[in-house]
Amino acid sequence: MTPISNARVLFSAVPKETTVYDISQTIDLESVALNGGFLIKTLVLSIDPYMRGRMTSPDVKSYSVPFALGAPIVGYGVGVVLRSDHRDVAKGKYVYGRIIPHQEYSVLPNLEGLIFLEKDPHLNWTVYVGAAGMPGKKAYMGWKEFSQAKKGEVAFITTGAGTMMIQLAKRDGLKVIASAGSEEKVEFVKEIGADVAFNYKTTDTREILAREGPIDIYWDNVGGDVLDAALEHAAIYGRFLECGMISDLNNIYAKSLTMHGIMVMRLQPKYDTEFYVTIPRALAAGEIKYSEEVSRGLGTVGHAILRVQEGTNTAKAVVVVADE
Amino acid sequence: MTPISNARVLFSAVPKETTVYDISQTIDLESVALNGGFLIKTLVLSIDPYMRGRMTSPDVKSYSVPFALGAPIVGYGVGVVLRSDHRDVAKGKYVYGRIIPHQEYSVLPNLEGLIFLEKDPHLNWTVYVGAAGMPGKKAYMGWKEFSQAKKGEVAFITTGAGTMMIQLAKRDGLKVIASAGSEEKVEFVKEIGADVAFNYKTTDTREILAREGPIDIYWDNVGGDVLDAALEHAAIYGRFLECGMISDLNNIYAKSLTMHGIMVMRLQPKYDTEFYVTIPRALAAGEIKYSEEVSRGLGTVGHAILRVQEGTNTAKAVVVVADE
């Protein structure tokens, strides 16, 4: 067969201008060497915010591997298998994954990073990189694993990847506050079930949250000042699900971190008995050591407070007011 | 009985000068009206960083009730009951709680905010507002409830209230990195078991964490740049226990919030089957709605990337590369 054009998208520069469309390469679909792998035709490609993180100079430390300049970028996509030397991969199968090269045809060495998909006849393949792909999974799995959603609670969802989240929250019986960046999106968000929807470009987020909150669950794609506003209007024991890439919370996301606020008054009902059975005995026995900065007399309180507030105390500050 | 002096510490100004020591009040211990309550003699008072949060003008919104100017401040303390009209409170009993007025003698109306204590003969009452009081409880209960500590993991503990935490972590078989503000504290921290201890005023925290980390558990009393450093050197699935009062994380603490980093790749093994059984079907049936911004042709990838990075895309961006 005559070689045909095999167009590619190559990483050409750090943003803003990031790719060039290159049609100089050709490929012979019948004879291209598979070397134990398989040949796919790319059907759809997903464009996602996380790709920005891979468009860095190799010198910059990043939690994802940088794209190689001059090579095709890779991302989530769906391809159909045209030929295969791989025993687990049959011609006509559809593969999905995050390692699909941005070129028309690719030879892939193995199934690493890929799964097989079967298409629902009522859906396009585009849906399998969106609502039925990585963004949908993030919403579905993040909600299932971490939301601890209870009927009647209030969720605040910043849109973008939030479309599915809004509907999952409504299915679980929550009140949903959603923010969007245009009147058109506000309307869409209301259509799919948001109880309160507002345009964050023309409406004060804090005002909405003060009136409609406090927030039990915050699904954060944004970070920054909106996160601050959500923190201000959070409910006791609120859950903050952090997915923002464009914020200083990158590490909370990248490392799947969990942050807990520790308020002893809310833990005491559960642990007080165990604490007093365990700890004073261990302290008295010297099994756990402690240190104190003791001053004597109620008149020393002012000075002790100053030391604590300046951080110049060297141990737990205590004032002995009286002997018995 | 002749009235005797009843010295008090009154809240006099927002910090730095916060209290005046006042000896103008007198009290007759035998005849002072109890009105159904009980009279205590204050034995010890605790001075804690959180008190700063109550030393605000009543106009400032705060998560704790401001002290009243001109009135005695209140805080954690231990008192002994001298007289009682309350059927549950006997003379000679010891009470502990966060509502002890900073005065020598107080009439308390009821037991709200108080518990009874029995003293271990080997401990002073001072310990019951420290290692066996609120700070000890915070460490013990926060660790028990949230650390998910596993033997061999690495804990980073900023000292202050961290003394007990270091020992709890060592008991659970963890490697402990501890920071302290003086050479003397560094020595103490090593004595009680820290594997790595350093003076954060003379040593680069990031250097230590890069060498001794990554950190599975961070017990944070500090916030700010040390928190940033800990985030940079956090392990995957790290747990951040936030107790800092002097930071912009006040709300994480005050509202007992939990922050989760959502990384879909780590959730897929658990949820992928359920997702594909549930979601494509719901999308196809129109039970869950979705939106897409579809462009056609591999040549549109560069433009699509730009729109996503500028945030000007109006829905999930997808490029259709080919029809089958």
Side-chain angles (χ1 to χ4, degrees):
Chain A
M1 182 177 162
T2 316
I4 60 165
S5 166
N6 185 13
R8 304 180 295 169
V9 176
L10 312 180
F11 183 33
S12 63
V14 294
K16 294 288 183 167
E17 299 167 43
T18 53
T19 58
V20 289
Y21 182 53
D22 166 59
I23 56 165
S24 67
Q25 194 185 66
T26 61
I27 188 170
D28 185 327
L29 298 179
E30 280 170 19
S31 67
V32 62
L34 301 181
N35 299 317
F38 50 94
L39 172 68
I40 63 161
K41 178 184 179 183
T42 307
L43 298 181
V44 298
L45 292 169
S46 180
I47 308 296
D48 298 294
Y50 83 88
M51 297 169 98
R52 176 65 185 86
R54 302 193 63 177
M55 293 182 176
T56 55
S57 157
D59 316 329
V60 178
K61 205 185 164 188
S62 170
Y63 64 86
S64 51
V65 181
F67 291 135
L69 276 168
I73 61 175
V74 301
Y76 284 97
V78 176
V80 59
V81 177
L82 300 185
R83 284 170 51 215
S84 177
D85 267 6
H86 192 293
R87 62 175 184 171
D88 296 332
V89 183
K91 182 182 167 182
K93 284 276 192 183
Y94 299 96
V95 291
Y96 164 78
R98 65 193 162 82
I99 52 99
I100 306 293
H102 277 222
Q103 54 188 26
E104 293 176 288
Y105 302 94
S106 303
V107 174
L108 301 177
N110 54 48
L111 285 166
E112 203 173 308
L114 295 174
I115 59 172
F116 293 115
L117 286 183
E118 284 177 42
K119 195 168 83 67
D120 187 293
H122 299 98
L123 297 178
N124 291 325
W125 280 123
T126 53
V127 178
Y128 285 84
V129 297
M134 184 271 282
K137 287 185 186 187
K138 185 188 264 191
Y140 181 86
M141 297 174 182
W143 185 260
K144 283 266 173 179
E145 180 77 1
F146 296 122
S147 73
Q148 298 173 48
K150 286 175 280 294
K151 203 179 161 180
E153 286 191 329
V154 177
F156 175 39
I157 295 166
T158 55
T159 44
T163 315
M164 180 179 292
M165 190 58 55
I166 291 167
Q167 297 171 84
L168 292 175
K170 286 311 298 175
R171 284 183 161 202
D172 282 353
L174 280 77
K175 169 179 165 179
V176 172
I177 307 169
S179 66
S182 72
E183 296 305 321
E184 198 186 341
K185 283 187 192 170
V186 166
E187 280 313 304
F188 178 67
V189 153
K190 278 184 185 163
E191 267 169 41
I192 61 172
D195 299 282
V196 180
F198 66 99
N199 183 339
Y200 64 83
K201 290 177 183 167
T202 58
T203 313
D204 181 14
T205 300
R206 282 174 172 79
E207 208 170 275
I208 298 284
L209 298 183
R211 193 174 68 221
E212 305 288 347
I215 304 157
D216 298 291
I217 301 172
Y218 177 47
W219 180 262
D220 183 18
N221 284 295
V222 181
D225 188 55
V226 182
L227 173 57
D228 290 343
L231 281 165
E232 283 167 33
H233 294 284
I236 307 297
Y237 284 131
R239 285 83 70 199
F240 275 50
L241 310 185
E242 295 297 325
C243 317
M245 295 296 303
I246 312 153
S247 79
D248 53 1
L249 293 168
N250 261 354
N251 269 318
I252 294 183
Y253 169 86
K255 295 183 177 173
S256 296
L257 301 181
T258 297
M259 303 183 82
H260 290 290
I262 313 287
M263 180 63 111
V264 71
M265 282 178 58
R266 299 195 191 102
L267 293 170
Q268 284 181 148
K270 183 170 176 182
Y271 287 109
D272 232 5
T273 304
E274 181 181 334
F275 177 84
Y276 281 112
V277 166
T278 309
I279 294 299
R281 187 179 302 166
L283 293 165
E287 291 165 18
I288 293 183
K289 307 215 169 17
Y290 58 93
S291 60
E292 300 173 325
E293 177 180 287
V294 177
S295 64
R296 300 190 73 83
L298 190 62
T300 67
V301 163
H303 184 64
I305 288 175
L306 199 62
R307 283 178 65 81
V308 168
Q309 291 184 355
E310 291 173 344
T312 50
N313 56 315
T314 59
K316 175 74 193 78
V318 188
V319 174
V320 175
V321 179
D323 299 315
E324 288 182 59
Chain B
M1 180 177 162
T2 315
I4 61 165
S5 165
N6 184 14
R8 303 180 295 169
V9 176
L10 312 180
F11 183 33
S12 62
V14 293
K16 295 290 183 159
E17 298 168 45
T18 53
T19 59
V20 290
Y21 184 52
D22 164 60
I23 56 166
S24 68
Q25 193 184 67
T26 61
I27 187 170
D28 186 325
L29 298 179
E30 280 171 20
S31 66
V32 62
L34 300 182
N35 298 317
F38 50 95
L39 172 68
I40 64 160
K41 178 183 178 184
T42 307
L43 298 181
V44 297
L45 292 169
S46 181
I47 309 296
D48 297 294
Y50 84 89
M51 297 170 97
R52 175 67 185 83
R54 301 194 63 176
M55 293 183 174
T56 55
S57 157
D59 317 328
V60 178
K61 205 183 163 190
S62 168
Y63 64 86
S64 51
V65 181
F67 291 136
L69 277 168
I73 62 175
V74 301
Y76 284 95
V78 176
V80 60
V81 176
L82 300 184
R83 284 171 50 215
S84 177
D85 267 4
H86 191 294
R87 61 176 183 169
D88 297 331
V89 183
K91 182 183 168 181
K93 283 277 193 184
Y94 299 96
V95 290
Y96 164 78
R98 65 192 162 81
I99 52 99
I100 305 293
H102 278 223
Q103 54 188 25
E104 293 177 289
Y105 303 95
S106 303
V107 175
L108 301 177
N110 53 48
L111 284 167
E112 202 173 309
L114 296 173
I115 59 172
F116 292 115
L117 287 183
E118 284 176 44
K119 195 168 83 68
D120 187 293
H122 300 98
L123 297 177
N124 292 325
W125 280 123
T126 54
V127 178
Y128 285 85
V129 297
M134 185 271 283
K137 287 184 186 189
K138 186 188 265 192
Y140 182 86
M141 296 175 183
W143 185 260
K144 283 264 173 183
E145 180 78 1
F146 295 122
S147 74
Q148 298 173 48
K150 285 175 281 293
K151 202 178 162 182
E153 286 191 327
V154 177
F156 175 38
I157 295 165
T158 55
T159 43
T163 316
M164 180 179 291
M165 190 57 55
I166 291 167
Q167 297 171 85
L168 293 175
K170 287 311 298 175
R171 284 183 161 202
D172 282 352
L174 279 77
K175 169 179 166 179
V176 172
I177 307 169
S179 66
S182 72
E183 296 304 321
E184 198 186 343
K185 281 185 193 171
V186 167
E187 281 313 305
F188 177 68
V189 154
K190 278 183 186 165
E191 267 169 41
I192 61 172
D195 300 281
V196 179
F198 66 99
N199 183 340
Y200 65 83
K201 290 177 182 166
T202 59
T203 312
D204 181 16
T205 300
R206 282 174 173 79
E207 208 170 275
I208 298 283
L209 297 184
R211 195 174 66 223
E212 306 287 348
I215 304 157
D216 298 293
I217 302 171
Y218 177 47
W219 180 261
D220 183 18
N221 284 295
V222 179
D225 188 55
V226 182
L227 173 58
D228 290 342
L231 280 167
E232 284 167 32
H233 294 283
I236 307 296
Y237 283 131
R239 284 82 70 199
F240 276 50
L241 311 184
E242 296 297 325
C243 317
M245 295 296 304
I246 312 154
S247 78
D248 52 2
L249 294 167
N250 261 355
N251 269 316
I252 294 182
Y253 168 87
K255 295 182 177 171
S256 296
L257 301 183
T258 296
M259 302 183 84
H260 290 290
I262 313 288
M263 181 63 109
V264 70
M265 283 180 56
R266 299 197 190 98
L267 294 169
Q268 285 183 145
K270 184 169 175 184
Y271 288 108
D272 232 5
T273 305
E274 181 182 334
F275 177 84
Y276 280 113
V277 165
T278 310
I279 294 300
R281 187 179 301 167
L283 293 166
E287 290 164 21
I288 294 184
K289 306 214 171 21
Y290 59 93
S291 59
E292 301 173 324
E293 177 179 286
V294 177
S295 62
R296 300 190 74 82
L298 190 63
T300 65
V301 163
H303 184 64
I305 288 175
L306 200 63
R307 283 178 65 82
V308 168
Q309 291 185 354
E310 289 173 347
T312 49
N313 56 314
T314 58
K316 175 74 193 77
V318 188
V319 174
V320 175
V321 179
D323 298 315
E324 288 182 59

